[in-house]
Amino acid sequence: MTHLPTGNGAASEAETNPHVEWLARCYGLPAAKRDMVLALLEEEAGGGTAIACEPSCHAPGEWGDAVVCAKAGAELPRLIRPLLLVSAGESCFLQSWINYKAEQEVACGILSRAQKKALAPPEIDSLLEELFPGTGDGDLQKKAARKALQRKLTFITGGPGTGKTYVLSRVLALLLRSGILAHEIYLAAPTGKAAERMKKSIGDSILHLPDSFLQFSESLKKVANASGTLHRLLKYRPDTGKCSFNAENPWVCKALVVDECSMVDILLWRATMKTLPTDASLILLGDPDQLESVGKGKALSECVKAARKSDGQLGDVWVHLTEARRFSSCPGILALANAVVENRANEACDLLKKSTDQNAPEGLAWVQTESLSWLHMPKTIAEKLDMIARATSPELAIYAIGKVCILTAQKEYGTGAKSLAQTIHEHFARALPHANQPIIINSNDIETGLKNGTVGVIHTGADSKRLAWFPATNPGEKPISFPVAQLPDYSSAWALTIHRSQGSEYDNVLVLLPKKESPLATRELIYTAITRARKKVFVAGRMESIRSAIETPSTRTTLLEKQLITKDWL
């Protein structure tokens, strides 16, 4: 929770902040309240949507015309102001009008849709038995699939490797079996990388469907191939900040699936809820323990908190998958992830202290450094990076990129992704004049079709031509290439920020944690980083920094959970 700034320095900053100055000029915001507005702006910059205030702040006339004061549950005045001061019981919060309305509309949409039931096939029991053979009614994957067919809203959550996309592929097969057409099912994710990964997972799962569902294979491929980002589905227009699809021009679909929901900010949730037809099914997948969205809010984790507390309603439409099948051969990763999520810092530190062997027994190793050089690089990581640099074809280089990743909390400074990437680039440049260069695209590009977050490689061929190569759009196809000069903005991908790695998986991951005092060192950050690994994870950092991160949860202040569980709040 943001603490209100005090002292002359903060007052000076408030006086010169353009947003605060605009409120003072246009709405008569008094000088005594400007520090509070500055605190709200700082909270929003960190992803929050509100700040807590003393109840005494809820006094008419003290804010000029900049604030509307209201009681939770009461009808808001027709007069719209930039800020809203809302109180419920002894709690009082300052929030921008747009964020209040966004959280209110998302909450109303979720609660309304949670009450609606869908018409599931009458033979759903036998169909589920075919798709999940040998499981009882208590099986969580089967339970999740059943809810997705019987309700208009379903939350399917769980950590990496718990089978969320496995369940999804079977839900899609059931939707097609119930008569919904392929073009009536929308698949979306917050980033292009996450959308591509969902598409690949569904494509792979088709091979494992029961024989009676193979007739829907082509339709499933069509659904998967049409997947994209939420922004693309909404036809977001950056020049105006608006979407072509909206409440007045809704989608024509019967089911929407959104994967990696933890990465969706509150304004994108609002746009999605408003654009989705009221009779369509909404299936939401994600890991509530991961890092929140880059934008404002932490909607998925707030929805899950509300589901845990609710005595019906949201609890009835939420299933949390718990069996992490991916980590069966590397139990150390799972043990550390569980200790981090459950704030068992002593246990997590003990696990790391026992795992200092660079061969990473049980998939886990601790590297005792906070400043990484090539000399400190774990042998496994160095060997995999060398495979990327020396690969003799773009296909081999792209394959090698999926085997390793170095993750860090920040982009800049000594331990940032940019600095680490430069260190590695210089190492290979000295030994290999034409070393392959992994890159990541930084923006969506209509001309090339490349999406923000797509990872590829710059490869020098036998003819000395340098081309940028990227994974094929469809399985079985060859990689696609572009002249380097034709690429949109891109960066080196020898190292990535943990935020940019969300939605991705790698065989081997090296995590470099920031210093203990860094505000970036949080529980969600370390959990997200270590669960990117499929086989081995090396955690680099001082033990006190690791402990501090585990004991420090995200501190964003948002009000969505209150909107969802407090009856008089909406």
Side-chain angles (χ1 to χ4, degrees):
M1 184 176 294
T2 296
H3 295 283
L4 302 183
T6 59
N8 294 332
S12 176
E13 186 179 352
E15 290 171 2
T16 58
N17 183 281
H19 300 286
V20 177
E21 191 274 332
W22 173 76
L23 288 171
R25 185 178 71 254
C26 299
Y27 291 92
L29 180 70
K33 300 297 183 183
R34 293 176 192 176
D35 284 355
M36 293 186 66
V37 175
L38 180 62
L40 176 61
L41 291 172
E42 291 175 346
E43 177 69 24
E44 289 182 349
T49 64
I51 60 170
C53 305
E54 295 296 330
S56 59
C57 291
H58 198 277
E62 290 187 4
W63 293 82
D65 293 325
V67 169
V68 170
C69 298
K71 293 283 188 181
E75 184 176 349
L76 291 175
R78 293 182 180 273
L79 186 64
I80 297 176
R81 296 301 188 193
L83 302 173
L84 182 75
L85 199 61
V86 60
S87 62
E90 296 181 358
S91 300
C92 182
F93 296 91
L94 180 66
Q95 192 169 31
S96 73
W97 183 278
I98 189 170
N99 286 338
Y100 177 85
K101 291 300 292 181
E103 291 185 331
Q104 183 188 56
E105 290 176 12
V106 169
C108 286
I110 287 173
L111 293 174
S112 173
R113 204 174 290 269
Q115 298 173 12
K116 298 179 180 179
K117 294 185 178 180
L119 186 62
E123 66 276 24
I124 187 171
D125 289 337
S126 60
L127 293 174
L128 287 172
E129 187 57 40
E130 281 188 69
L131 291 167
F132 301 92
T135 59
D137 290 338
D139 181 79
L140 292 175
Q141 291 187 341
K142 180 188 283 187
K143 183 179 179 181
R146 182 186 295 276
K147 285 188 183 293
L149 267 289
Q150 293 179 334
R151 308 299 291 258
K152 289 294 185 180
L153 172 68
T154 313
F155 287 96
I156 302 175
T157 63
T162 51
K164 295 186 293 295
T165 50
Y166 174 85
V167 173
L168 173 59
S169 64
R170 280 147 177 75
V171 169
L172 294 175
L174 287 167
L175 290 174
L176 293 167
R177 169 71 171 72
S178 67
I180 296 178
L181 303 178
H183 70 270
E184 295 174 322
I185 303 173
Y186 291 3
L187 263 61
T191 67
K193 184 191 294 185
E196 287 296 323
R197 183 168 167 266
M198 176 171 56
K199 172 183 172 180
K200 183 181 183 302
S201 297
I202 294 170
D204 293 343
S205 67
I206 293 174
L207 302 174
H208 304 289
L209 287 173
D211 292 345
S212 60
F213 281 86
L214 292 180
Q215 59 182 305
F216 302 109
S217 295
E218 289 304 313
S219 294
L220 269 173
K221 289 179 183 177
K222 289 180 181 178
V223 173
N225 289 338
S227 64
T229 65
L230 276 170
H231 283 93
R232 184 176 73 81
L233 281 180
L234 289 163
K235 290 193 175 179
Y236 174 74
R237 294 154 56 193
D239 56 331
T240 63
K242 297 181 180 179
C243 301
S244 296
F245 286 105
N246 47 47
E248 289 70 40
N249 182 32
W251 288 316
V252 181
C253 71
K254 293 186 177 178
L256 170 68
V257 176
V258 183
D259 195 15
E260 297 290 351
C261 282
S262 64
M263 301 165 65
V264 181
D265 65 55
I266 192 64
L267 296 180
L268 192 52
W269 272 74
R270 179 193 193 187
T272 301
M273 299 294 291
K274 288 170 68 106
T275 309
L276 186 66
T278 56
D279 61 342
S281 295
L282 177 59
I283 302 168
L284 302 164
L285 298 93
D287 185 348
D289 296 313
Q290 282 190 19
L291 281 168
E292 300 96 341
S293 60
V294 175
K296 298 171 191 173
K298 48 179 181 178
L300 180 63
S301 64
E302 296 287 84
C303 287
V304 170
K305 287 178 183 176
R308 285 194 174 105
K309 294 177 181 178
S310 64
D311 50 358
Q313 232 168 4
L314 288 187
D316 287 344
V317 297
W318 169 56
V319 178
H320 186 68
L321 306 178
T322 57
E323 186 177 349
R325 295 169 172 83
R326 184 202 297 173
F327 300 121
S328 58
S329 61
C330 44
I333 300 177
L334 179 60
L336 180 60
N338 288 338
V340 170
V341 166
E342 295 167 14
N343 191 21
R344 301 197 305 268
N346 289 337
E347 181 180 333
C349 291
D350 287 343
L351 284 168
L352 289 170
K353 288 175 182 176
K354 295 174 184 176
S355 305
T356 55
D357 184 352
Q358 287 202 351
N359 291 322
E362 297 191 329
L364 182 64
W366 174 36
V367 183
Q368 302 179 52
T369 181
E370 60 183 23
S371 58
L372 194 68
S373 67
W374 190 260
L375 294 175
H376 292 113
M377 196 73 67
K379 181 181 178 182
T380 300
I381 300 296
E383 289 175 347
K384 301 301 181 183
L385 294 176
D386 196 68
M387 286 177 59
I388 297 173
R390 296 178 184 273
T392 55
S393 70
E395 290 89 348
L396 288 174
I398 290 171
Y399 173 79
I401 288 172
K403 298 297 179 182
V404 63
C405 191
I406 297 177
L407 299 177
T408 182
Q410 55 205 29
K411 182 178 180 181
E412 304 290 344
Y413 308 113
T415 58
K418 189 175 180 180
S419 177
L420 288 173
Q422 184 63 27
T423 297
I424 297 169
H425 174 75
E426 290 173 355
H427 168 81
F428 286 119
R430 288 190 292 268
L432 300 168
H434 298 296
N436 296 314
Q437 172 74 7
I439 60 173
I440 184 168
I441 300 299
N442 295 327
S443 61
N444 296 325
D445 185 60
I446 297 176
E447 300 253 339
T448 60
L450 294 171
K451 299 180 179 66
N452 182 16
T454 301
V455 174
V457 63
I458 295 177
H459 173 77
T460 303
D463 56 2
S464 297
K465 288 185 178 179
R466 294 178 76 244
L467 293 174
W469 295 82
F470 298 89
T473 304
N474 297 308
E477 296 180 354
K478 292 184 177 180
I480 55 177
S481 65
F482 301 94
V484 175
Q486 190 180 345
L487 295 177
D489 181 46
Y490 67 90
S491 303
S492 172
W494 285 118
L496 300 176
T497 63
I498 295 169
H499 258 111
R500 296 214 77 179
S501 74
Q502 283 186 269
S504 300
E505 297 173 4
Y506 305 89
D507 283 357
N508 305 276
V509 170
L510 170 62
V511 181
L512 184 61
L513 290 177
K515 295 181 179 180
K516 177 181 178 182
E517 61 271 17
S518 171
L520 297 173
T522 66
R523 185 180 306 155
E524 292 81 2
L525 178 113
I526 189 171
Y527 170 80
T528 301
I530 62 179
T531 54
R532 297 311 91 207
R534 284 187 289 251
K535 295 180 179 179
K536 297 178 183 178
V537 62
F538 299 83
V539 180
R542 302 293 181 189
M543 192 55 70
E544 57 266 28
S545 298
I546 296 169
R547 178 183 297 276
S548 176
I550 295 170
E551 293 176 343
T552 307
S554 169
T555 55
R556 288 186 181 185
T557 301
T558 70
L559 302 184
L560 180 61
E561 182 189 356
K562 293 182 182 296
Q563 298 267 25
L564 289 167
I565 66 175
T566 308
K567 293 181 180 179
D568 64 349
W569 193 267
L570 296 174

